Coordinates of all heavy atoms in Angstrom, one line a residue:
M1 N 45.8 120.8 118.3 CA 47.0 120.3 118.9 C 48.2 120.9 118.2 O 48.3 120.9 117.0 CB 47.0 118.8 118.8 CG 48.2 118.2 119.4 SD 48.1 116.4 119.3 CE 49.6 116.0 120.2
N2 N 49.1 121.4 119.0 CA 50.4 121.9 118.4 C 51.4 120.8 118.3 O 51.7 120.1 119.2 CB 50.9 123.0 119.3 CG 50.1 124.3 119.2 OD1 49.3 124.5 118.3 ND2 50.1 125.1 120.3
H3 N 51.9 120.7 117.1 CA 53.0 119.7 116.8 C 54.4 120.3 116.8 O 55.3 119.6 116.9 CB 52.7 119.0 115.5 CG 51.4 118.3 115.4 ND1 51.3 117.0 116.0 CD2 50.2 118.6 115.0 CE1 50.1 116.6 115.8 NE2 49.4 117.5 115.2
L4 N 54.4 121.6 116.7 CA 55.7 122.3 116.7 C 55.9 123.1 118.0 O 55.0 123.8 118.5 CB 55.8 123.3 115.5 CG 55.6 122.7 114.2 CD1 55.5 123.7 113.1 CD2 56.7 121.7 113.9
L5 N 57.1 122.9 118.6 CA 57.3 123.6 119.9 C 58.3 124.7 119.7 O 59.5 124.5 119.3 CB 57.9 122.6 120.9 CG 57.0 121.4 121.3 CD1 57.7 120.4 122.1 CD2 55.7 122.0 122.0
P6 N 57.9 126.0 120.0 CA 58.9 127.1 119.9 C 60.1 126.9 120.7 O 60.0 126.5 121.9 CB 58.1 128.3 120.4 CG 56.6 127.9 120.1 CD 56.6 126.4 120.4
G7 N 61.3 127.0 120.1 CA 62.5 126.9 120.8 C 63.1 125.5 120.7 O 64.2 125.2 121.1
F8 N 62.3 124.5 120.2 CA 62.7 123.1 120.2 C 62.9 122.5 118.8 O 63.2 121.4 118.7 CB 61.8 122.2 121.0 CG 61.9 122.4 122.5 CD1 61.0 123.3 123.1 CD2 62.8 121.8 123.3 CE1 61.1 123.6 124.5 CE2 62.9 122.0 124.6 CZ 62.0 122.9 125.2
E9 N 62.7 123.3 117.8 CA 62.8 122.8 116.4 C 64.1 123.3 115.8 O 64.6 124.3 116.1 CB 61.6 123.4 115.6 CG 60.3 123.1 116.1 CD 59.9 121.7 116.3 OE1 60.5 120.8 115.6 OE2 59.0 121.4 117.1
S10 N 64.7 122.4 115.0 CA 65.9 122.7 114.4 C 65.6 123.6 113.1 O 64.5 123.5 112.6 CB 66.7 121.5 113.9 OG 66.0 120.8 112.9
Q11 N 66.6 124.3 112.7 CA 66.5 125.1 111.5 C 66.2 124.2 110.3 O 65.4 124.6 109.4 CB 67.7 126.0 111.2 CG 67.7 127.3 112.0 CD 68.8 128.2 111.4 OE1 70.0 127.9 111.6 NE2 68.4 129.3 110.9
E12 N 66.8 123.1 110.2 CA 66.6 122.2 109.1 C 65.2 121.7 109.1 O 64.5 121.6 108.0 CB 67.6 121.0 109.3 CG 67.5 120.0 108.1 CD 68.4 118.8 108.2 OE1 68.7 118.4 109.4 OE2 68.9 118.4 107.2
R13 N 64.6 121.3 110.2 CA 63.2 120.8 110.3 C 62.3 121.9 109.8 O 61.3 121.7 109.0 CB 62.9 120.4 111.7 CG 61.4 119.9 111.8 CD 61.2 119.3 113.2 NE 59.8 119.1 113.5 CZ 59.1 118.0 113.2 NH1 59.7 117.0 112.5 NH2 57.9 117.9 113.5
V14 N 62.4 123.2 110.3 CA 61.6 124.3 110.0 C 61.7 124.5 108.5 O 60.7 124.7 107.8 CB 61.9 125.5 110.8 CG1 61.1 126.7 110.3 CG2 61.6 125.3 112.3
A15 N 62.9 124.5 107.9 CA 63.1 124.7 106.5 C 62.4 123.7 105.7 O 61.8 124.0 104.6 CB 64.6 124.8 106.2
L16 N 62.5 122.4 106.1 CA 61.8 121.3 105.4 C 60.3 121.5 105.4 O 59.6 121.3 104.4 CB 62.2 120.0 105.9 CG 63.6 119.5 105.6 CD1 64.0 118.3 106.4 CD2 63.8 119.3 104.1
L17 N 59.8 121.9 106.6 CA 58.3 122.1 106.7 C 57.9 123.3 105.8 O 56.9 123.2 105.1 CB 57.9 122.4 108.1 CG 58.0 121.2 109.1 CD1 57.9 121.6 110.5 CD2 56.9 120.2 108.7
L18 N 58.7 124.3 105.8 CA 58.4 125.5 105.0 C 58.4 125.1 103.5 O 57.7 125.7 102.7 CB 59.3 126.6 105.3 CG 59.1 127.4 106.6 CD1 60.3 128.2 107.0 CD2 57.8 128.2 106.4
S19 N 59.3 124.2 103.1 CA 59.4 123.8 101.7 C 58.1 123.1 101.2 O 57.9 123.0 100.0 CB 60.6 122.9 101.5 OG 60.4 121.6 102.0
L20 N 57.3 122.6 102.1 CA 56.1 122.0 101.8 C 54.9 122.9 101.7 O 53.8 122.5 101.5 CB 55.8 120.8 102.8 CG 56.8 119.7 102.8 CD1 56.5 118.8 103.9 CD2 56.9 119.0 101.5
T21 N 55.2 124.2 101.9 CA 54.1 125.3 101.9 C 54.4 126.2 100.7 O 55.4 126.0 100.0 CB 54.1 126.1 103.1 OG1 55.3 127.0 103.1 CG2 54.1 125.3 104.4
R22 N 53.5 127.1 100.5 CA 53.6 128.1 99.5 C 54.1 129.4 100.1 O 54.1 130.5 99.4 CB 52.3 128.3 98.7 CG 52.0 127.0 97.9 CD 50.6 127.1 97.2 NE 50.6 128.3 96.3 CZ 49.5 128.8 95.8 NH1 48.3 128.2 96.0 NH2 49.5 129.8 95.0
I23 N 54.6 129.4 101.3 CA 55.1 130.6 101.9 C 56.3 131.0 101.2 O 57.3 130.2 101.1 CB 55.3 130.4 103.4 CG1 54.0 130.0 104.1 CG2 55.9 131.6 104.1 CD1 54.2 129.5 105.6
S24 N 56.4 132.3 100.7 CA 57.5 132.7 100.0 C 58.2 134.0 100.5 O 59.3 134.3 100.1 CB 57.2 132.9 98.5 OG 56.2 133.8 98.4
S25 N 57.5 134.7 101.4 CA 58.0 135.9 101.9 C 59.2 135.7 102.8 O 59.1 134.9 103.8 CB 56.9 136.6 102.7 OG 57.5 137.6 103.5
P26 N 60.4 136.2 102.4 CA 61.6 136.0 103.2 C 61.4 136.5 104.7 O 61.9 135.9 105.6 CB 62.7 136.9 102.5 CG 62.1 137.1 101.2 CD 60.6 137.0 101.2
E27 N 60.6 137.5 104.9 CA 60.4 138.1 106.2 C 59.5 137.1 107.1 O 59.8 136.9 108.2 CB 59.7 139.4 106.2 CG 60.6 140.5 105.6 CD 60.6 140.6 104.1 OE1 59.8 139.8 103.4 OE2 61.4 141.3 103.5
V28 N 58.5 136.5 106.5 CA 57.7 135.6 107.2 C 58.5 134.3 107.5 O 58.4 133.8 108.6 CB 56.4 135.2 106.4 CG1 55.6 134.1 107.0 CG2 55.5 136.5 106.2
I29 N 59.2 133.8 106.5 CA 60.1 132.7 106.7 C 61.1 132.9 107.9 O 61.2 132.1 108.7 CB 60.8 132.3 105.4 CG1 59.8 131.8 104.4 CG2 61.9 131.3 105.7 CD1 60.3 131.6 103.0
A30 N 61.7 134.1 107.9 CA 62.7 134.4 108.9 C 62.0 134.5 110.3 O 62.6 134.0 111.3 CB 63.4 135.7 108.6
A31 N 60.8 135.1 110.3 CA 60.1 135.2 111.6 C 59.7 133.9 112.2 O 59.9 133.6 113.4 CB 58.9 136.2 111.5
L32 N 59.2 133.0 111.3 CA 58.8 131.7 111.7 C 60.0 130.9 112.2 O 59.9 130.2 113.2 CB 58.0 131.0 110.6 CG 56.6 131.5 110.3 CD1 56.1 130.9 108.9 CD2 55.6 131.1 111.4
T33 N 61.0 130.9 111.4 CA 62.2 130.2 111.8 C 62.8 130.7 113.1 O 63.1 129.9 114.0 CB 63.3 130.4 110.7 OG1 62.8 129.9 109.5 CG2 64.6 129.6 111.0
L34 N 62.8 132.0 113.3 CA 63.3 132.5 114.6 C 62.4 132.1 115.8 O 62.9 131.7 116.8 CB 63.3 134.1 114.5 CG 63.8 134.8 115.7 CD1 65.2 134.5 116.0 CD2 63.6 136.3 115.5
H35 N 61.1 132.1 115.6 CA 60.2 131.7 116.6 C 60.4 130.3 117.0 O 60.4 129.9 118.2 CB 58.7 132.0 116.1 CG 57.7 131.5 117.1 ND1 57.5 132.0 118.3 CD2 56.8 130.5 116.9 CE1 56.5 131.4 118.9 NE2 56.0 130.4 118.0
Y36 N 60.5 129.4 116.0 CA 60.5 128.0 116.3 C 61.9 127.5 116.7 O 62.0 126.4 117.4 CB 60.0 127.1 115.2 CG 58.5 127.2 115.1 CD1 57.9 127.8 114.0 CD2 57.7 126.6 116.1 CE1 56.5 127.8 114.0 CE2 56.4 126.7 116.1 CZ 55.7 127.3 115.0 OH 54.4 127.3 114.9
T37 N 62.9 128.2 116.4 CA 64.3 127.8 116.8 C 64.8 128.5 118.1 O 65.7 127.9 118.7 CB 65.3 128.0 115.7 OG1 65.3 129.4 115.3 CG2 64.9 127.2 114.4
S38 N 64.2 129.6 118.4 CA 64.8 130.3 119.6 C 63.7 130.6 120.7 O 64.1 131.2 121.7 CB 65.4 131.7 119.1 OG 64.3 132.5 118.8
A39 N 62.5 130.2 120.5 CA 61.4 130.5 121.4 C 61.0 131.9 121.6 O 60.4 132.3 122.6 CB 61.7 129.8 122.8
L40 N 61.5 132.8 120.7 CA 61.1 134.2 120.8 C 59.6 134.2 120.6 O 59.1 133.6 119.6 CB 61.8 135.0 119.7 CG 61.7 136.5 119.8 CD1 62.4 137.0 121.0 CD2 62.3 137.1 118.5
P41 N 58.8 135.0 121.4 CA 57.4 135.0 121.2 C 57.0 135.5 119.8 O 57.7 136.3 119.2 CB 56.9 136.1 122.3 CG 58.0 136.0 123.3 CD 59.3 135.7 122.6
A42 N 55.8 135.0 119.4 CA 55.4 135.3 118.0 C 55.3 136.8 117.7 O 55.8 137.3 116.7 CB 54.0 134.7 117.8
E43 N 54.8 137.6 118.7 CA 54.7 139.0 118.5 C 56.1 139.7 118.3 O 56.2 140.5 117.4 CB 54.1 139.7 119.7 CG 52.6 139.2 119.9 CD 52.5 137.9 120.7 OE1 53.5 137.4 121.2 OE2 51.4 137.4 120.8
R44 N 57.1 139.2 119.0 CA 58.4 139.8 118.9 C 59.1 139.3 117.6 O 59.8 140.1 117.0 CB 59.2 139.5 120.1 CG 58.7 140.2 121.3 CD 59.5 140.1 122.6 NE 60.9 140.5 122.4 CZ 61.9 140.0 123.2 NH1 61.6 139.2 124.2 NH2 63.1 140.4 122.9
A45 N 58.9 138.1 117.2 CA 59.5 137.5 116.0 C 58.9 138.3 114.8 O 59.7 138.7 113.9 CB 59.3 136.0 115.9
A46 N 57.6 138.5 114.8 CA 57.0 139.2 113.7 C 57.5 140.7 113.7 O 57.8 141.2 112.6 CB 55.5 139.2 113.9
A47 N 57.6 141.3 114.8 CA 58.0 142.7 114.9 C 59.5 142.8 114.4 O 59.8 143.8 113.7 CB 57.8 143.3 116.3
R48 N 60.3 141.9 114.9 CA 61.7 142.0 114.5 C 61.9 141.9 113.0 O 62.9 142.5 112.5 CB 62.5 140.8 115.2 CG 64.0 140.9 114.9 CD 64.8 139.9 115.7 NE 64.8 140.3 117.1 CZ 65.4 139.6 118.0 NH1 66.1 138.5 117.7 NH2 65.4 140.0 119.3
H49 N 61.0 141.2 112.3 CA 61.2 141.1 110.8 C 60.2 141.9 110.1 O 60.1 141.8 108.9 CB 61.0 139.6 110.4 CG 62.2 138.8 110.9 ND1 63.4 138.8 110.2 CD2 62.4 138.0 112.0 CE1 64.3 138.0 110.9 NE2 63.7 137.5 111.9
G50 N 59.5 142.8 110.8 CA 58.7 143.9 110.1 C 57.5 143.3 109.4 O 57.1 143.9 108.4
I51 N 56.9 142.3 110.0 CA 55.6 141.8 109.4 C 54.5 142.0 110.4 O 54.7 142.1 111.6 CB 55.8 140.3 109.0 CG1 56.1 139.4 110.1 CG2 56.8 140.2 107.9 CD1 56.0 138.0 109.8
E52 N 53.3 142.0 109.8 CA 52.1 142.0 110.7 C 51.9 140.7 111.4 O 52.2 139.6 110.8 CB 50.8 142.3 109.8 CG 50.8 143.6 109.1 CD 50.6 144.7 110.1 OE1 49.9 144.6 111.1 OE2 51.2 145.8 109.9
L53 N 51.4 140.7 112.6 CA 51.2 139.5 113.4 C 50.2 138.6 112.6 O 50.4 137.3 112.7 CB 50.7 139.8 114.8 CG 50.6 138.6 115.7 CD1 51.9 137.9 115.9 CD2 50.0 139.1 117.0
S54 N 49.3 139.1 111.9 CA 48.3 138.3 111.2 C 49.0 137.4 110.1 O 48.6 136.3 109.9 CB 47.2 139.1 110.6 OG 47.7 140.0 109.7
N55 N 50.0 138.0 109.5 CA 50.7 137.3 108.4 C 51.5 136.2 109.1 O 51.7 135.1 108.5 CB 51.6 138.2 107.6 CG 50.8 139.1 106.8 OD1 49.7 138.9 106.4 ND2 51.4 140.3 106.4
F56 N 52.1 136.5 110.2 CA 52.9 135.5 111.0 C 52.0 134.3 111.4 O 52.3 133.1 111.2 CB 53.5 136.1 112.2 CG 54.3 135.1 113.1 CD1 55.6 134.9 112.9 CD2 53.6 134.4 114.1 CE1 56.3 133.9 113.6 CE2 54.3 133.4 114.8 CZ 55.6 133.2 114.6
M57 N 50.8 134.7 111.9 CA 49.9 133.6 112.4 C 49.3 132.8 111.3 O 49.1 131.6 111.4 CB 48.7 134.3 113.1 CG 49.1 135.1 114.4 SD 50.0 134.2 115.6 CE 48.7 133.2 116.3
R58 N 49.1 133.4 110.1 CA 48.7 132.6 108.9 C 49.8 131.5 108.6 O 49.5 130.4 108.3 CB 48.4 133.5 107.7 CG 47.7 132.8 106.6 CD 47.4 133.8 105.5 NE 46.7 135.0 105.9 CZ 47.2 136.3 105.9 NH1 48.4 136.5 105.4 NH2 46.5 137.3 106.3
G59 N 51.0 132.0 108.6 CA 52.1 131.1 108.3 C 52.3 130.0 109.3 O 52.5 128.8 109.0
Q60 N 52.1 130.4 110.6 CA 52.2 129.4 111.7 C 51.1 128.4 111.6 O 51.3 127.2 111.8 CB 52.0 130.2 113.0 CG 52.3 129.4 114.2 CD 52.2 130.2 115.5 OE1 51.4 131.1 115.6 NE2 53.1 129.9 116.4
K61 N 49.9 128.8 111.2 CA 48.8 127.9 111.1 C 49.1 126.8 109.9 O 48.8 125.6 110.1 CB 47.5 128.6 110.7 CG 46.3 127.7 110.6 CD 45.0 128.6 110.3 CE 43.8 127.7 110.1 NZ 42.6 128.4 109.8
K62 N 49.6 127.3 108.8 CA 50.0 126.4 107.7 C 51.1 125.4 108.1 O 51.0 124.3 107.8 CB 50.4 127.3 106.5 CG 50.6 126.4 105.3 CD 49.3 125.8 104.9 CE 49.5 124.9 103.6 NZ 48.4 124.1 103.3
L63 N 52.1 125.9 108.9 CA 53.1 125.0 109.3 C 52.6 123.9 110.2 O 53.0 122.8 110.2 CB 54.2 125.8 110.0 CG 55.3 126.4 109.2 CD1 56.4 127.1 110.1 CD2 55.9 125.5 108.2
E64 N 51.7 124.3 111.1 CA 51.0 123.3 112.0 C 50.2 122.3 111.2 O 50.2 121.1 111.6 CB 50.1 124.0 113.0 CG 50.9 124.7 114.2 CD 51.6 123.7 115.1 OE1 51.3 122.5 115.1 OE2 52.5 124.2 115.8
Q65 N 49.5 122.7 110.2 CA 48.8 121.8 109.4 C 49.7 120.8 108.7 O 49.4 119.6 108.7 CB 48.0 122.5 108.3 CG 46.8 123.3 108.8 CD 46.2 124.2 107.8 OE1 46.8 124.5 106.7 NE2 45.0 124.6 108.1
I66 N 50.8 121.3 108.2 CA 51.8 120.4 107.5 C 52.4 119.4 108.5 O 52.5 118.2 108.3 CB 52.9 121.2 106.8 CG1 52.4 122.1 105.7 CG2 54.1 120.3 106.4 CD1 51.8 121.3 104.5
A67 N 52.8 119.9 109.7 CA 53.3 119.1 110.8 C 52.3 118.0 111.2 O 52.7 116.9 111.4 CB 53.8 119.9 112.0
A68 N 51.0 118.4 111.3 CA 50.0 117.4 111.7 C 49.9 116.3 110.6 O 49.8 115.1 111.0 CB 48.7 118.1 111.8
T69 N 50.0 116.6 109.4 CA 49.9 115.6 108.3 C 51.1 114.7 108.4 O 51.0 113.5 108.3 CB 49.9 116.3 106.9 OG1 48.7 117.2 106.9 CG2 49.8 115.3 105.8
I70 N 52.3 115.3 108.6 CA 53.5 114.4 108.7 C 53.4 113.5 109.9 O 53.7 112.3 109.8 CB 54.7 115.3 108.8 CG1 55.0 116.0 107.4 CG2 56.0 114.5 109.2 CD1 56.0 117.1 107.5
E71 N 52.9 114.0 111.0 CA 52.7 113.1 112.2 C 51.7 112.0 112.0 O 51.9 110.9 112.4 CB 52.3 114.0 113.4 CG 53.4 114.9 113.9 CD 54.7 114.2 114.3 OE1 54.6 113.1 114.9 OE2 55.8 114.7 114.0
A72 N 50.6 112.3 111.2 CA 49.7 111.3 110.9 C 50.3 110.2 110.0 O 50.0 109.0 110.2 CB 48.5 111.9 110.2
I73 N 51.1 110.6 109.1 CA 51.8 109.6 108.2 C 52.8 108.8 109.1 O 52.8 107.5 108.9 CB 52.5 110.3 107.1 CG1 51.5 111.0 106.1 CG2 53.5 109.4 106.4 CD1 52.1 111.9 105.1
K74 N 53.5 109.4 110.0 CA 54.4 108.7 110.8 C 53.7 107.7 111.7 O 54.1 106.5 111.9 CB 55.2 109.6 111.7 CG 56.3 110.4 110.9 CD 56.9 111.5 111.6 CE 57.4 111.3 113.0 NZ 58.0 112.5 113.6
A75 N 52.5 108.0 112.2 CA 51.7 107.1 113.0 C 51.2 105.9 112.2 O 51.3 104.8 112.7 CB 50.5 107.8 113.6
I76 N 50.8 106.1 111.0 CA 50.5 105.0 110.1 C 51.6 104.1 109.9 O 51.5 102.8 110.0 CB 49.9 105.5 108.8 CG1 48.6 106.2 109.0 CG2 49.8 104.4 107.7 CD1 48.1 107.0 107.8
D77 N 52.8 104.7 109.6 CA 54.0 103.9 109.3 C 54.4 103.1 110.6 O 54.8 101.9 110.5 CB 55.1 104.8 108.8 CG 54.9 105.3 107.4 OD1 54.0 104.8 106.7 OD2 55.6 106.2 107.0
W78 N 54.3 103.7 111.7 CA 54.7 103.1 113.0 C 53.8 101.9 113.3 O 54.3 100.9 113.7 CB 54.7 104.1 114.1 CG 55.1 103.5 115.4 CD1 54.3 103.3 116.5 CD2 56.4 103.1 115.8 NE1 55.0 102.7 117.5 CE2 56.3 102.6 117.1 CE3 57.7 103.1 115.2 CZ2 57.4 102.1 117.8 CZ3 58.8 102.6 115.9 CH2 58.6 102.1 117.2
A79 N 52.5 102.1 113.1 CA 51.6 101.0 113.4 C 51.8 99.8 112.4 O 51.8 98.7 112.8 CB 50.1 101.5 113.2
K80 N 52.1 100.1 111.2 CA 52.4 99.1 110.2 C 53.7 98.3 110.6 O 53.8 97.1 110.5 CB 52.6 99.7 108.8 CG 52.6 98.6 107.7 CD 52.9 99.3 106.4 CE 51.7 100.2 106.0 NZ 51.9 100.8 104.6
L81 N 54.7 99.1 111.0 CA 56.0 98.5 111.4 C 55.8 97.6 112.7 O 56.3 96.5 112.8 CB 57.0 99.6 111.7 CG 58.4 99.1 112.1 CD1 59.0 98.3 111.0 CD2 59.3 100.2 112.5
Q82 N 54.9 98.0 113.6 CA 54.7 97.3 114.8 C 54.0 96.0 114.5 O 54.2 95.0 115.2 CB 53.9 98.1 115.8 CG 54.7 99.3 116.4 CD 55.9 98.8 117.1 OE1 55.9 98.0 118.0 NE2 57.1 99.4 116.8
S83 N 53.1 96.0 113.6 CA 52.3 94.8 113.3 C 53.0 93.8 112.4 O 52.7 92.6 112.3 CB 50.9 95.2 112.7 OG 51.1 95.7 111.4
N84 N 54.0 94.3 111.7 CA 54.7 93.4 110.7 C 56.2 93.9 110.6 O 56.6 94.3 109.6 CB 54.0 93.6 109.4 CG 54.2 92.3 108.5 OD1 54.9 91.4 108.9 ND2 53.6 92.4 107.3
P85 N 57.0 93.7 111.7 CA 58.3 94.2 111.7 C 59.3 93.5 110.7 O 59.3 92.3 110.6 CB 58.8 93.9 113.2 CG 57.9 92.8 113.7 CD 56.6 92.9 112.9
L86 N 59.9 94.3 110.0 CA 61.0 93.9 109.1 C 60.6 92.9 108.1 O 61.4 92.1 107.6 CB 62.2 93.5 109.9 CG 62.8 94.5 110.8 CD1 64.0 93.9 111.6 CD2 63.3 95.7 110.0
Q87 N 59.3 92.8 107.7 CA 58.9 91.9 106.7 C 58.4 92.7 105.5 O 57.5 93.4 105.6 CB 57.8 90.9 107.2 CG 58.3 90.0 108.2 CD 57.2 89.1 108.7 OE1 56.1 89.2 108.3 NE2 57.6 88.2 109.6
P88 N 59.1 92.5 104.3 CA 58.6 93.3 103.2 C 57.2 92.8 102.7 O 56.8 91.7 102.9 CB 59.7 93.0 102.1 CG 60.3 91.7 102.6 CD 60.2 91.7 104.0
K89 N 56.5 93.7 102.1 CA 55.2 93.4 101.6 C 55.3 92.4 100.4 O 56.1 92.6 99.6 CB 54.5 94.7 101.2 CG 53.0 94.6 101.0 CD 52.5 96.0 100.7 CE 51.1 96.1 101.2 NZ 50.5 97.4 101.0
Q90 N 54.5 91.4 100.5 CA 54.5 90.4 99.4 C 53.8 90.9 98.2 O 52.7 91.5 98.3 CB 53.8 89.1 99.8 CG 54.6 88.4 101.0 CD 55.9 87.9 100.6 OE1 56.1 87.5 99.5 NE2 56.9 88.1 101.5
V91 N 54.3 90.7 97.0 CA 53.7 91.2 95.8 C 53.1 89.9 95.1 O 53.8 88.9 94.9 CB 54.8 91.9 94.8 CG1 54.2 92.3 93.5 CG2 55.4 93.0 95.5
A92 N 51.9 90.1 94.7 CA 51.2 88.9 94.0 C 51.6 88.7 92.6 O 52.0 89.6 91.9 CB 49.7 89.1 94.2

């Protein structure tokens, strides 16, 4: 399941997701950011920044894994909030 939508992500969100990875290549970071913020197809974003499509896809896969983990955490928090709204956890 894709959690990131090309063209619908903010630069800030992409930057935060990237900060949770070990991706360090400025070209890969720029290509991924371009793809997710402007909906430019993956092939064109990779070509525009001079990287192999396989390197782009590897970064894309990692970002999706991070986004999936974040969404799972949000689901847990949402379920907890729904079952116990605005009541702090009691400490024994």
Side-chain angles (χ1 to χ4, degrees):
M1 177 178 184
N2 291 337
H3 296 280
L4 302 174
L5 298 172
F8 289 94
E9 306 299 335
S10 69
Q11 275 192 294
E12 182 179 36
R13 180 175 167 85
V14 174
L16 287 170
L17 289 168
L18 284 164
S19 75
L20 298 173
T21 71
R22 294 176 56 192
I23 299 171
S24 60
S25 165
E27 294 82 9
V28 173
I29 290 170
L32 288 166
T33 302
L34 181 63
H35 174 65
Y36 284 114
T37 59
S38 72
L40 191 66
E43 297 82 8
R44 292 185 55 202
R48 182 172 292 180
H49 290 282
I51 61 170
E52 295 292 325
L53 184 57
S54 61
N55 292 338
F56 178 91
M57 299 304 286
R58 191 176 310 114
Q60 187 176 37
K61 182 178 177 182
K62 187 61 181 171
L63 278 184
E64 283 292 342
Q65 290 171 342
I66 297 293
T69 301
I70 290 170
E71 291 302 320
I73 292 168
K74 287 168 46 177
I76 291 168
D77 290 346
W78 180 252
K80 190 184 299 183
L81 181 64
Q82 292 300 309
S83 66
N84 208 359
L86 301 177
Q87 292 181 0
K89 198 174 210 180
Q90 297 295 322
V91 179

